[in-house]
Every structure is written in C-alpha cells, then in structure tokens.
Amino acid sequence: MFNGSFSDTWQANEKTGRPRKGVFEDLVDERRQRGDLGWVLRTRRSVPSPAFCAAGTSAASAAIKSSKSPADINRDVLSSDRLTYGLREISLETGRPMPELMSEAGAILDEMSHCLSMFAIRSFGYAVAKVMKRIYRGVFVNTEGITQLRKACSEYPVVLMPMHRSYADFLLLSLVCYDYDLPLPAIASAMDFMGMQLIGSILRNCGAFFIRRSFATDRVYWLTFVEYVKTHVRDGLHPVEFFIEGTRSRTGKSLYPKTGMLGAILESWFMCEVPDVYLVPVSISYDRTLEQKLYAYELLGVPKPKESTSGLLKARALLDEDFGSVHFYFDQPISLRKFATEYGGVDRSVHSLAPKVKAQLTDAETRMLKAMAHHVVSRHCLNAVVSPFCLLAALLLADGRACRPVPLTELAADLEWLRLRLADVGSLASLDWPAQLSTEAVIAEQCRLHSDLVTLLTKDQAVALVTAPDSDLEARAAQRLQLSSYRNHIMCHVIELALYDAATLKSSDGGLGAAAVFDTLRHLLHREFPTISDAEEMPDMADALPRLRNFARACLRPSLAGCSQVCSVLLEQPELAAQSSERHIAMAAQKRAFANLVSNPSLWDDWESVSLDLLVNAVHGLHRLRILTKSRGAAATGDGGSSCDFERLRRLHLILDPLTRTQPDGVHEVPSTRSRL
Ligand SMILES: CCCCCCCCCCCCCCCC(=O)SCCNC(=O)CCNC(=O)[C@H](O)C(C)(C)COP(=O)(O)OP(=O)(O)OC[C@H]1O[C@@H](n2cnc3c(N)ncnc32)[C@H](O)[C@@H]1OP(=O)(O)O
Ligand SMILES: O=C(CO)COP(=O)(O)O
C-alpha cells in the first residue's frame, strides 16, 4: 500500500533542490524557475540496458542493440518463428496463400508501429511542459518510485501500467520519464489518435503504437500484435506502457481490467523468453480532471467528440483554468517471477514439451493473468493520492444532505471526523491534507478550485451545490455525476465495509443469511468495483463504528440503486432480456430512471442511476450471477439476447429494495430533508 507521507511543511529535496512534501517532489516548480529550452536540449543520463540483453554480447553489439530502430523492430517481428508458424496455420485452415497473409501482417505492422525519436520527444516535450506549467499548480512524483524504476530498467524489461483518468496521463508520464532521464516508453494507443492531423504522427514519433480497439476474432491481427509487444519485451530497450483499463474512467472508479495486452507480456515470461519482467503500477491523481464535464455527458449517453486537431485547438479555453495539482505514485516494481511463486500453481516447464511456436497459455497461466490484472488495478487505487475534495464530495452526497446549503462549521466537523476515522482504519494514508490550514480553510480552498460544482456562500457561511436549472434535467444529472466522480476515488477504501454493512442489515437478507447476501452483492458489483476481493469468506467488520458504516452505506447506495433500476426495467419489460444487448438494457433502465426523476426529483440516489457505465456494469452483474445467460448465438456474435431467470431476478430485487431505501442516519448530525434538490 501507499508507503509515503505528506509533510506539513515544504522542504527542498537535498539532491535536486526541488520543492518536496513528504515522499513527493514537484517537477513543475523548476520549469517555472528556469527556461524550458535548456531542459529539452540537455544531455540525458542514460540507463544501462537490462543486464540480460547485454549479457554475452560485446560492448559494440550491446550499443547496436540499444539503438534498435523502429524498422529493425518490425523486421524482427515479421521474421519471428511464432508469426510465421501462426500464419502458416491460418493459411492451411483457410486456403489463403502465405504471401498474402505475410503482406497483411506487414500492413498491420506499418499501421501499428511507433517511430520513437528523441528529436520528436524533445520538440513536443517543450510544448507539453509549457501547457502543464500553465494549468497545473504542481506535478508531484514519488522519487523513491523513480529510483526503483531506474534500477528495474537496468535489470529486466519494464512495463509501465498507469491508471487512466485523463488524456493528460500519457503526456505527463512521458514528461516524467524524460525529466528523470528514464528510457522513454513505447505506448499502446487506440486508433482514435491516429487520424488526428499532424498530432497523430507526432504521437507516433513520441512512442505511440496504434492498436485497434478490439480485435477479438482477427487472428492475423492478434498474432502480429502479440509478436510486436513481445519483441519489445524481449529487447527490453524501451519500457512498454499501456492502460490496463483500456479507456479513461469516466466515473472515477477503476475499470474492469482488459487482459489482451498483459497476456502478450506475460507470455514472454511463461515461454521463458526473458528471465523476468517488472510490472510497475502507476497511480495518477488529479485534484481536478480536465475532462470532468465531458465525462458526465458521455455517461448520460452523449457521444464522445471525435479526437481531432481542430477539437484540440477549440479546447484551448482550458488553458485559462486552474486544475490544481497532479500526483504520480510509482509503485514498487512487481517481479513476475516472484508474483508467480507467491501465486503458486504455474509450471512454465510444460512449454518445453512442445515447440514454442505452438505454445498457448495454460489454464493456470490464464488464471494468474487475471489475478495479476486485478492486483495491478487494486494497487492503483490503494496508492492513489486522494484530495480533500473527494471526502468533501462524499459527505455532500451522503444521504442527500446537499439538498440544501450545509453550514460550514457542520461540514468542517464532519470532514475532520471522516478524515480521522478513515485514518484510524488504515485507509487514506495517501490523503493530501494541507495540515497547516484549518479544516474550514481547506473547504474554502476546495470550493474555489471546484467552483463549477460547489460554492461557499460567504454571507451564510455554508456550502451549496451549484445546480443547473430545474427544467434542465440532463444538466442537473451531469452536475451530480461530476461530483460523484470525486467521491468514487475513495470507494476502494470503503467498499468492503459497505458490502459488509449491506449484508448484515437485518431487513435485507430475505432469510438468506448475511454471507449469502454478501456473496450475491460481491458478484453483482464485480464490474462496478473490480477491487472487491475474490475471497469467499465475508470479512468480519463488526467492530466498525456505526457512523462509518452509515457513511460507507451511503457511498454504495447509488450503485445499488442502479442495479435496482435494471432489475425493475427487466421485470416490467421481460422481452428486453431476450432482445437487447447489455447497452440497450442499460439505456432502457436509464430512461426509466429519468422518468422517475421527472415525477420525483427528490429521489436523491437516482440521480446517479442515469449513468450508463453504472447500468451496464449492473447488467454484467446479472450475467455473473447467471440471472441473465447469453444465448449461444449471441455469445458468438456479441449481439444481444439473453435468457433471464425471472424468479431469481425478483428475489434479487427484493434484496436490493430495502438497501436502496434505507435512510442512513448519523452520517452527519443533521438529518437530511430530502425535500428538494
Ligand atoms: C517529454 C514528453 C513528451 C510527451 C510525449 C507524449 C507521448 C504520447 C503518446 C501517446 C500515447 C497515447 C496513449 C493513448 C492511451 C489509449 O489509447 S488507451 C487504449 C488503448 N490501450 C489498450 O486498450 C490497452 C489495454 N487493452 C487490452 O489489453 C485489450 O485486451 C486489447 C489488446 C486492446 C484487445 O482488446 P479486445 O479485442 O477487446 O480483447 P479482450 O476483450 O481483451 O479479449 C477478447 C478475446 O480475445 C482473446 N484473446 C486474448 N489473447 C489472445 C490472443 N493472443 N490471441 C487470440 N485471442 C486472444 C481473449 O481470451 C478474449 O476472449 P473471451 O475471453 O472474450 O472469450
Ligand atoms: O483511452 C483512450 C486514450 O487515452 C482512448 O479514448 P477513450 O478514453 O475515450 O476510450
């Protein structure tokens, strides 16, 4: 877990002279003090290539290796035994001639491959640094993590696995690598950016390699992609960087991990092509997210604006805004070899019984792959720095208290209480709390930074939500979703308690018993909260303070309300299950939630039930519980069409109903009015 501290007082790092708080130092401050030109033109300290790459090679050939060009990489991919064997198999099965398949693989590679050049990095880095200085107060990095990463880069291939909350993630991460003289990464990027005029080729030259969003059934694509990734891992010259969540989280919660890319990386080690691989989870936390408003509308179903250079230019108004600070936490590198030993049950020697070109992951390896993917996502959350606004948002949302302005003194007392209680139970070591300020001053500062969401009414000394006009339902929901995205940053710290609380609420177990309710909710919410532990046993949290339980319950209730919407819509329109895809069921549930809000806007938790992500996750939960079962044809085509066990659906609805209606009291002193929004 987060192994650092936030110092109350700012100090200078004795080595670099940079401002430092706790384990973090700010790299933007230096950019403000000194010009950027010298910074981009300077000679960088190099990191030696991994020992295993250079082993047995002369200094000269090691030098050649360290300068392998993108064209060399592509040549290695196309001439690899694995690719040739795979294509030959496809040729035999489909009757397609080998030269045709080879040229298809070549075309895929031409489209995919990066063209990393230091000249491009330096030029683009100059522009990126200028923008970052303008919009962020600081970019903080845990220097110990950098030291460990540097060491890892000189030992074995390294894979950077950042969480994905913003487009700024990959720009800043490359900037950090450049600044700390680390090898620049090759970054898996969705095709969306490739079509951007000029920017597409700049990103390619800065290390982006472009992959399709999904290539589930395209075997030639899979083969080429896997070999391309593995070639990078084997060479160990550039860290490979990819976003395991596959897309930016619009909700502030972790996304269910994708395993295709990680599978390719692990394969290099399972097949004994490299002695070890280091995986480095990188947590990135923004005080205020650039895309916050766009995300909320996307959750409501408004299509994402297409990435384009003109769109980028239009977004320049953002340059005049204050987005607070960013924190990067580089976790201790995870050795794949050590992880496999601790995980147990993986026997790599099975691959020596068959030619490597034929090898496929065993079931045990696939299980380890999934466990590793979840482990990384959990590390992301546990290490992510939390801003005071996340606690503030959670308190304001709990039990609809922000229906009316909340007195500053009351909010400050609750914030102080929550901060200390979460610290007591070991959560939130990573809270970025400016201890030199009073709690009231912290709240005032957060209201300034998030003035688009909350406001401090100075005359009344109270905090109120900024709300859109009553008539604009969509805008009101968007405001609410933005606020909840900050609350969601702390969900991983309270989810187990919230589940325990829900399971042990007498009114909800319907005779099932707490353990069975716990298990049901755990499966139902497995996509909504991928960090929920897989352990079969319900943890014993009976000692948790009642008020903390109430808080956790209030945090969970919107997700349960979303699940309840999905159950209701399926019960009211039984034909939906058989005819519709997951997204269509979610859209029907969203329509229902909006209709509820029109007739009763005081349904506080239903303002989050309009989030499509939440609703799609709920449908996945029903699949996981086997209440919905995809028909065979639909499973193959990815289309809709599931059979539904309505009896079990009804029973689940009965469990959820009291949980979404229970009024938690004691989250704060003053009971909520729930009368108006
Ligand atoms: C100084 C500073 C300068 C600044 C300098 C700036 C630098 C600027 C750089 C810009 C850089 C931009 C960076 C953008 C950031 C993104 O664009 S993030 C989005 C792109 N990245 C990713 O998505 C990475 C994570 N995604 C994955 O790993 C996904 O799995 C993949 C690889 C994309 C594939 O996705 P998919 O086709 O949806 O596949 P997935 O659902 O994982 O699996 C589908 C099926 O294929 C099967 N499968 C798995 N492996 C295989 C296999 N090897 N063969 C065949 N089938 C397989 C699976 O078993 C699965 O089957 P089922 O279990 O469903 O039956
Ligand atoms: O992940 C991406 C780039 O960062 C691709 O965009 P989305 O987050 O919109 O899917």
Side-chain angles (χ1 to χ4, degrees):
M1 234 207 329
F2 179 85
N3 175 23
S5 67
F6 284 97
S7 178
D8 301 350
T9 45
W10 289 74
Q11 302 158 336
N13 182 336
E14 9 2 293
K15 278 198 199 141
T16 59
R18 290 175 171 178
R20 189 177 184 109
K21 52 173 182 175
V23 296
F24 293 93
E25 73 173 21
D26 179 17
L27 62 82
V28 163
D29 181 78
E30 190 178 63
R31 302 270 46 75
R32 291 205 174 97
Q33 311 295 333
R34 300 184 207 160
D36 294 326
L37 203 56
W39 176 72
V40 290
L41 293 178
R42 82 208 153 90
T43 310
R44 301 174 77 236
R45 263 186 313 154
S46 61
V47 178
S49 301
F52 82 92
C53 287
T57 59
S58 65
S61 60
I64 292 169
K65 227 174 164 333
S66 70
S67 62
K68 200 169 172 183
S69 72
D72 293 337
I73 299 173
N74 289 2
R75 207 179 32 247
D76 284 357
V77 174
L78 284 176
S79 60
S80 75
D81 292 345
R82 181 77 196 271
L83 185 76
T84 317
Y85 179 84
L87 293 181
R88 197 163 293 136
E89 267 194 329
I90 297 175
S91 172
L92 285 173
E93 279 172 34
T94 61
R96 290 180 64 193
M98 260 311 263
E100 187 186 306
L101 288 168
M102 276 308 262
S103 83
E104 186 180 329
I108 291 172
L109 262 189
D110 287 342
E111 180 189 68
M112 184 184 294
S113 52
H114 67 75
C115 255
L116 205 147
S117 99
M118 271 322 284
F119 175 74
I121 295 273
R122 288 176 192 273
S123 316
F124 193 47
Y126 182 76
V128 172
K130 292 258 176 264
V131 172
M132 296 310 154
K133 279 195 294 197
R134 182 137 177 189
I135 61 176
Y136 293 123
R137 298 179 191 178
V139 174
F140 292 91
V141 182
N142 67 323
T143 44
E144 198 190 337
I146 295 288
T147 310
Q148 289 167 343
L149 175 57
R150 170 180 295 283
K151 183 164 173 288
C153 286
S154 67
E155 291 175 352
Y156 296 114
V158 165
V159 181
L160 292 172
M161 300 177 69
M163 66 201 302
H164 205 6
R165 298 292 173 267
S166 167
Y167 281 150
D169 296 339
F170 49 82
L171 296 174
L172 286 172
L173 187 47
S174 284
L175 194 93
V176 169
C177 289
Y178 176 81
D179 189 76
Y180 284 100
D181 293 345
L182 293 162
L184 272 303
I187 312 164
S189 166
M191 289 285 183
D192 315 35
F193 297 100
M194 207 177 78
M196 288 175 81
Q197 260 184 9
L198 190 64
I199 300 289
S201 58
I202 292 178
L203 296 182
R204 195 188 284 277
N205 293 338
C206 287
F209 63 92
F210 294 101
I211 57 174
R212 292 184 198 155
R213 280 276 168 181
S214 184
F215 31 98
T217 52
D218 188 336
R219 286 169 69 193
V220 180
Y221 201 94
W222 267 114
L223 274 171
T224 317
F225 160 78
V226 169
E227 206 47 43
Y228 186 73
V229 172
K230 284 172 66 178
T231 303
H232 280 79
V233 175
R234 278 194 300 263
D235 290 345
L237 302 173
H238 295 284
V240 175
E241 174 184 322
F242 78 101
F243 293 91
I244 188 143
E245 295 165 289
T247 184
R248 293 163 297 159
S249 166
R250 270 71 171 162
T251 58
K253 291 176 199 148
S254 295
L255 300 179
Y256 200 77
K258 293 252 183 190
T259 51
M261 179 97 185
L262 185 61
I265 290 160
L266 263 58
E267 201 179 292
S268 325
W269 183 75
F270 289 143
M271 307 298 164
C272 304
E273 293 167 14
V274 284
D276 201 354
V277 178
Y278 281 128
L279 305 183
V280 184
V282 185
S283 307
I284 310 174
S285 329
Y286 297 91
D287 284 353
R288 199 173 151 232
T289 316
L290 287 172
E291 298 98 325
Q292 159 192 308
K293 194 166 177 185
L294 278 177
Y295 286 166
Y297 279 96
E298 281 183 49
L299 291 173
L300 293 174
V302 177
K304 172 179 105 160
K306 194 170 162 4
E307 282 83 356
S308 67
T309 307
S310 58
L312 186 69
L313 292 174
K314 278 188 206 138
R316 65 185 180 278
L318 293 179
L319 291 177
D320 296 325
E321 289 191 39
D322 174 5
F323 289 93
S325 293
V326 191
H327 287 84
F328 277 77
Y329 190 92
F330 289 81
D331 202 358
Q332 192 168 13
I334 304 168
S335 148
L336 216 48
R337 196 158 40 86
K338 283 202 189 121
F339 185 87
T341 312
E342 281 157 26
Y343 181 76
V346 170
D347 176 12
R348 292 192 297 162
S349 68
V350 293
H351 297 298
S352 55
L353 301 175
K356 288 235 168 69
V357 286
K358 284 176 143 188
Q360 284 197 328
L361 297 198
T362 61
D363 289 348
E365 287 167 345
T366 307
R367 278 196 298 278
M368 177 176 140
L369 164 64
K370 289 189 177 155
M372 176 55 102
H374 277 86
H375 180 66
V376 169
V377 171
S378 297
R379 300 294 304 178
H380 282 160
C381 298
L382 293 175
N383 290 328
V385 167
V386 172
S387 97
F389 191 67
C390 302
L391 302 192
L392 203 58
L395 282 169
L396 286 171
L397 289 173
D399 195 28
R401 77 184 305 183
C403 295
R404 54 172 178 82
V406 186
L408 183 59
T409 45
E410 180 191 317
L411 195 56
D414 285 351
L415 186 57
E416 191 59 13
W417 170 83
L418 183 61
R419 176 172 88 85
L420 296 175
R421 290 299 76 74
L422 287 175
D424 282 351
V425 292
S427 303
L428 291 191
S430 50
L431 178 66
D432 182 15
W433 188 264
Q436 70 279 16
L437 296 184
S438 69
T439 308
E440 281 85 354
V442 172
I443 296 176
E445 170 55 20
Q446 293 303 319
C447 289
R448 257 194 303 281
L449 184 61
H450 294 274
S451 56
D452 46 350
L453 296 178
V454 286
T455 182
L456 179 62
L457 307 168
T458 34
K459 199 163 135 268
D460 303 335
Q461 282 296 290
V463 175
L465 293 193
V466 175
T467 44
D470 280 0
S471 55
D472 194 342
L473 214 59
E474 197 177 59
R476 292 177 74 196
Q479 285 289 105
R480 176 67 194 267
L481 290 174
Q482 288 178 68
L483 195 62
S484 66
S485 73
Y486 290 94
R487 189 246 358 254
N488 289 341
H489 291 190
I490 62 163
M491 283 308 292
C492 66
H493 298 283
V494 296
I495 184 66
E496 298 273 334
L497 177 58
L499 286 183
Y500 172 84
D501 172 76
T504 50
L505 257 189
K506 278 282 159 290
S507 53
S508 71
D509 79 359
L512 275 180
V517 175
F518 184 86
D519 206 45
T520 304
L521 295 180
R522 192 165 65 88
H523 286 295
L524 180 65
L525 296 169
H526 82 290
R527 272 196 184 248
E528 180 74 349
F529 301 107
T531 58
I532 294 176
S533 151
D534 254 357
E536 293 296 320
E537 295 259 308
M538 181 170 87
D540 182 3
M541 303 179 106
D543 289 343
L545 294 176
R547 204 170 158 206
L548 201 56
R549 281 179 68 153
N550 286 342
F551 172 76
R553 189 188 309 165
C555 291
L556 178 63
R557 233 184 11 222
S559 297
L560 296 178
C563 293
S564 181
Q565 284 292 354
V566 171
C567 293
S568 301
V569 85
L570 284 170
L571 289 168
E572 286 162 10
Q573 304 171 46
E575 70 287 356
L576 265 181
Q579 293 166 1
S580 311
S581 66
E582 279 141 12
R583 195 167 167 87
H584 279 110
I585 298 175
M587 282 161 72
Q590 185 192 49
K591 206 167 152 197
R592 186 183 190 279
F594 264 125
N596 279 357
L597 288 171
V598 171
S599 54
N600 189 0
S602 66
L603 291 170
W604 184 251
D605 292 315
D606 282 13
W607 283 97
E608 285 181 52
S609 301
V610 293
S611 158
L612 282 176
D613 271 29
L614 194 166
L615 297 166
V616 168
N617 285 342
V619 182
H620 275 288
L622 295 183
H623 278 288
R624 170 93 165 202
L625 286 168
R626 300 199 192 288
I627 290 176
L628 288 178
T629 316
K630 269 209 167 109
S631 54
R632 214 178 257 180
T637 58
D639 291 340
S642 300
S643 60
C644 181
D645 183 336
F646 285 101
E647 189 42 47
R648 288 186 59 219
L649 184 69
R650 221 165 273 124
R651 285 210 299 270
L652 176 65
H653 199 214
L654 287 178
I655 295 178
L656 293 175
D657 196 44
L659 292 176
T660 52
R661 279 192 292 113
T662 317
Q663 303 273 327
D665 42 8
V667 173
H668 49 85
E669 256 64 69
V670 185
S672 75
T673 55
R674 279 185 175 251
S675 55
R676 69 189 169 83
L677 193 66

